[in-house]
């Protein structure tokens, strides 16, 4: 089962020759979560080899243009392609009026099965085959919510213990589903033949200034996708605009115990994005990925 | 003075790997007329080396997404860049609600000086340094207007006659402005030393099925930019959808007496657009340009 982030764009407010507007598709087994489709997301999806039908859920952090102007194209494409499944869309409730404008931005034969799920407050927004999707309010001039996708914790079967207890073949499945199984004339419980397995976690944090909510969203995340608009030399500008520096993004990752840190949403001031990675490296010991257009970034393998 | 069409995209409803959504900037001396900005127009402008401040006027033929979903990005960029001049925007009056949604699609600090000029009916929509902008209703499932930009006819000075009449230096300017000047003790009129010079004409025709309005818009145009969504083998589909085949676009150009024909707005069915040019060539003797992303197509020199 494939779990990876497909980067559609890495620009912030202003696109550049190298950077398309912001946008991300998280492939999570058979699910596809589209985050913050900026202008051009429809074509970037195509260039990434993804189809509208791959989208099973949309999450919008806030209604600044670089995070949502790709929505009309996505909705119209879902419709044109007659994507049969319902696509829930999460967005700050305070921006409901913008969602309506974007959904009905121009003439089209609306067949998209969009289910509106306004985010009213922090907490769990949905549960499903992807696990639990929760949101927390960030710190930005307009209301902005970060998202956290968490697979339920499970258990990892231990082959040597299964063998020792004589559990084999279809009995393994029964044990996983039911929690116990009779093997060799004895009741064997799941705990005896398995160990705890932490569910995978992906966090998506943008746009925001430094705040505790960002750390809580990212707590123990396997993959953290986070805005890194500025550098520490522009810290005052970042604070004023409600954005993070690469160093701050890295410190959030460190405090939260993140494994793989993905930096994105770069200011046009820095055409070479490697500077963000270099700054972050001084503040985070884990793996740092400086996002690039159309890159595929794997969720790290389970611990 | 530079007069050229900058092609931002050549796709129709659906973008492809090679084709960005529809969009065109007509550079006309110091004016910049943006036609039908589809999604991604903001970044395509950047890739073409044009700035938001180059836009002095916007013309929208109709409110299907591929002709207008780039508007929010353009408006927000005009605002962000604090473009000081007023930008009139022409659009079908029946789509006024869509215009409002696109203008106010997301949070931004609105400083754009957009002047709304709804097109209510056929006729002259504006006059200015570019000449006369007129519109005509086309034939499409939603109301669609084509545009025609016509420079006033003028007069071309004839150096040998100026010399024969002794008109020289600053007197030439006086003659052009006033219509007469005294030279060599005699009143010389403009007619005596010049010949008629036809104003240049550019026509922009999309989306439409075959109709007389398309021919009238294109009458004697130096440059005709016209949709050529399908091929003659798909004529039934074209008629049903209110689109043109390449052969029809070429016959419109022939009937109208066009000089340079620009084909664009291609269906994804035809990844290689050269087929449109080949089909058109059998129906039009003038110059045919098959539009490509970021191409610059000159308005032909004056006759």
């Amino acid at each position: 089962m494939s779990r990876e982030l497909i980067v559609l764009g890495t620009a912030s407010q202003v696109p550049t020759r190298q950077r398309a507007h912001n946008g991300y598709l998280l492939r999570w087994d058979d699910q596809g979560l589209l985050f913050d489709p900026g202008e051009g997301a429809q074509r970037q999806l195509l260039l990434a080899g993804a189809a509208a039908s791959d989208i099973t859920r949309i999450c919008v952090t806030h209604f600044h243009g670089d995070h949502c102007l790709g929505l009309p194209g996505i909705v119209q494409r879902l419709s044109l392609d007659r994507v049969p499944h319902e696509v829930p869309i999460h967005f700050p409730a305070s921006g409901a009026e913008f969602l309506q404008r974007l959904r009905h931005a121009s003439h089209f034969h609306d067949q998209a099965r969009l289910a509106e799920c306004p985010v009213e407050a922090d907490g769990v927004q949905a549960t499903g085959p992807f696990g639990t999707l929760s949101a927390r309010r960030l710190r930005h001039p307009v209301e902005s919510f970060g998202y956290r996708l968490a697979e339920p914790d499970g258990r990892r079967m231990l082959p040597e213990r299964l063998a020792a207890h004589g559990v084999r073949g279809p009995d393994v499945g029964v044990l996983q589903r039911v929690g116990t199984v009779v093997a060799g004339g004895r009741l064997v419980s799941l705990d005896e033949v398995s160990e705890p397995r932490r569910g995978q976690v992906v966090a998506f944090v943008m746009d925001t200034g430094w705040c505790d909510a960002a750390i809580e969203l990212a707590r123990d995340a396997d993959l953290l996708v986070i805005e890194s608009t500025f550098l520490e030399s522009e810290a005052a500008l970042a604070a004023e605009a409600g954005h993070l520096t690469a160093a701050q993004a890295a410190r959030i990752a460190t405090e939260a115990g993140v494994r793989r840190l993905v930096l994105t949403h770069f200011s046009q001031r820095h055409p070479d994005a490697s500077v963000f990675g270099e700054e972050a490296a001084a503040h985070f010991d884990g793996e740092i990925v400086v996002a690039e257009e159309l890159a595929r970034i794997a969720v790290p393998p389970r611990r």
Side-chain angles (χ1 to χ4, degrees), chain A residues 20 78 83 95 112 118 137 139 143 191 200 207 223 225 246 253 260:
Chain A
L78 287 169
V83 170
R137 190 177 277 105
R139 189 170 151 193
E143 192 174 54
D191 289 359
Q200 283 186 310
D207 288 358
L223 191 75
V225 185
R260 186 169 287 169

Side-chain angles (χ1 to χ4, degrees), chain A residues 170-219:
Chain A
D171 282 353
V172 177
V174 173
L175 183 60
Q176 284 180 305
R177 284 195 304 278
V178 180
T180 56
V181 75
V182 175
R186 181 182 164 268
L187 191 71
V188 178
S189 76
L190 189 57
D191 289 359
E192 293 177 86
V193 294
S194 65
E195 61 182 9
R197 187 197 70 182
R198 267 248 291 279
Q200 283 186 310
V201 172
V202 172
F204 187 82
V205 174
M206 61 186 69
D207 288 358
T208 191
W210 178 277
C211 64
D212 289 344
I215 300 168
E216 290 315 311
L217 283 165
R219 182 70 65 201

Side-chain angles (χ1 to χ4, degrees), chain A residues 82-99:
Chain A
R82 296 170 191 257
V83 170
H85 56 259
E86 189 175 79
V87 177
I89 177 166
H90 304 271
F91 58 92
S94 60
E97 192 174 10
F98 293 125
L99 185 76

Side-chain angles (χ1 to χ4, degrees), chain A residues 56-129:
Chain A
T56 59
R57 190 171 291 269
I58 301 173
C59 299
V60 174
T61 60
H62 67 298
F63 286 99
H64 274 145
D66 50 329
H67 297 259
C68 65
L69 291 188
L71 263 180
I74 295 294
V75 173
Q76 294 187 22
R77 191 60 189 268
L78 287 169
S79 199
L80 182 69
D81 291 357
R82 296 170 191 257
V83 170
H85 56 259
E86 189 175 79
V87 177
I89 177 166
H90 304 271
F91 58 92
S94 60
E97 192 174 10
F98 293 125
L99 185 76
Q100 293 314 313
R101 293 175 189 163
L102 293 162
R103 264 196 88 161
H104 307 289
S106 67
H107 288 290
F108 70 111
H109 181 42
D110 191 356
Q111 299 182 94
R113 296 189 55 214
L114 224 58
E116 296 179 13
C117 307
V119 179
E120 307 272 2
D122 289 1
V124 172
Q125 306 300 319
T127 56

Side-chain angles (χ1 to χ4, degrees), chain A residues 250-251 253-254 257-261 280-288:
Chain A
R251 287 201 296 268
T254 295
V258 164
R259 293 174 69 200
R260 186 169 287 169
L261 168 63
H283 303 270
F284 178 65
D285 284 339
E287 192 194 342
I288 298 172

Side-chain angles (χ1 to χ4, degrees), chain A residues 208-209 230-231 234-245 248:
Chain A
T208 191
F230 294 112
L231 295 178
E234 303 150 321
L237 177 60
E240 189 188 320
H243 284 299
L244 294 172
T245 67
Q248 288 176 321

